Amino acid sequence: MAVVLAVGGGWLYVLLRANLLDNTTSRTEVAARKVAAQADTGALPGMLASPADGVDLVLVLDEAGRVVATSLRSADPLAAELRGLRPAPGQDSADRVLTGPPAAAAGGSRADVVVVRATPPGRGDQVRYVYAVTVLSDVDDATHAIGVALLASAPPLIALAAAIAWAVTGLALRPVTAIRTELAAVSESELDRRVPDPAGGDEIALLARTVNATLDRLEQAVTRQRQFVADASHELRNPIAAVRSRLEVAMAAGPVAEEPSVRAALRDTERLQRIAADLLLLARLDAHAPRAAEPVDLALLAAEEAARRPGRGGPRPVVVADEPVPVRGDPAQLERLLTNLVDNALRHAASEVRIIARREAGPAGPDRAVLEVVDDGPGIPPPARERVFERFARLDAARDRGTGGTGLGLAIARDIARAHGGDLCVRDREDGRAGARFVVVLSGASGSPSRS
């Protein structure tokens, strides 16, 4: 807009100035021709009357440049300056815009001068040149006023154009903002969300429909994948359970119990059974299957979990809980969350595993329930603290299939926490010692908690 105003303003300034100068030249030439008509008749007084129509003076010179008639009392200096201005051969008039002494003699800094050739009848050797002079102060004042007006009006016009462009562009792009906001909210747990579809058939409406069609295909693909995992896990449970039972019967029935290969097969079958159960649970969590919402005391849950761990061959979990920590959720899933975290801690701890249940004031709301599982193992480096929650992810310390987990326990624990409106993360130990500290934050529940 600034460029357009600059070009348009410059063009208008030049056009108006040229028009004013043309009008002035025309008036000046008319005044010169009037005097030239008198010179042609021979009746030309030595002192001419002041010209009209804004022309400042008239001066008549002969072929030699001598003053014949003038409307100015002292015309010799002006005659000396103007005698060099003559019409071109074949023309009877000429005009110039002069600065300096000629204009100063007429009372200005710049002047428009028109010279007209006059030849009295029968006197071809007595050529006269009539000079009419108009000071351009009025033209300069008018063009100066126009320039100032253009410069003064440019900033508000640019600001107005910018405001209009901002408003119009914002109004036009508002559907794009709504599409972007809604698309950013689409996540793995909310694949059913769709972007708003504005009415009409423009590019933005076509973009919204294309995005929604893409989300439809994505949701269908993810749903088919989850259904396949659930179906495969469910179908594998019975054959795996049958194989495990036959191996257990074979080991209990005879001498094959001493065969290392049979014991290894039983261990692998048990591991396969756990993997199938974990995959089925993950499929249910991904599908957002309805879950129970009952009062659960995390402190009591931690005490029961610690009581099930005899501590043989490793540290026994220690519970730290000064008061009940109530939440609302699925008791079985919350128990599975804690079991997975304790299993992971026992697998890596050197001599200590602590389960801490406490209440914590929320940043802008009711109290929150916090459950921590702390061990004194090698810990988890910060770059890998998100990778441990990926499915089938193992760090170097847990890659041994004989002692390591399936790689699904922590992923299941985080999914359960998020399904209950909370989250699970890894933090540094508060005492600064080596080890891992898994922190679960859930929304608290009022009332007396209980477990069924």
Side-chain angles (χ1 to χ4, degrees), residues 73 79 81 111 190 260 272 315 319 439:
R73 292 186 179 276
E81 296 292 339
E190 294 184 84
L272 187 58
V319 178
V439 181

Side-chain angles (χ1 to χ4, degrees), residues 12-90:
L12 179 62
Y13 179 85
V14 171
L15 182 65
L16 290 177
R17 184 178 181 84
N19 183 264
L20 290 174
L21 190 59
D22 287 344
N23 291 337
T24 301
T25 301
S26 298
R27 293 197 309 269
T28 306
E29 184 176 355
V30 169
R33 289 193 180 278
K34 287 181 179 179
V35 175
Q38 295 179 9
D40 289 340
T41 61
L44 190 64
M47 191 67 185
L48 299 173
S50 298
D53 297 331
V55 179
D56 292 280
L57 61 93
V58 178
L59 178 66
V60 181
L61 303 180
D62 60 11
E63 183 70 23
R66 294 186 294 272
V67 177
V68 176
T70 180
S71 64
L72 190 65
R73 292 186 179 276
S74 178
D76 291 337
L78 182 60
E81 296 292 339
L82 294 180
R83 63 169 56 101
L85 177 61
R86 301 288 174 87

Side-chain angles (χ1 to χ4, degrees), residues 94 148 267:
V148 171
R267 287 196 302 269

Side-chain angles (χ1 to χ4, degrees), residues 43 47-48 55 57 60 71 79 83 105 126 139 157 161 191 198 243 269 273 275 282 343 346 369 423-424 435:
M47 191 67 185
L48 299 173
V55 179
L57 61 93
V60 181
S71 64
R83 63 169 56 101
Q126 298 183 9
V139 174
L157 286 176
L191 287 175
V243 172
T269 303
Q273 193 173 27
I275 292 176
L282 281 173
D343 285 342
L346 291 174
D423 203 358
L424 168 62

Side-chain angles (χ1 to χ4, degrees), residues 39 138 172 178 264 284 346 350 408:
D138 292 341
R284 290 173 178 171
L346 291 174
L408 296 173

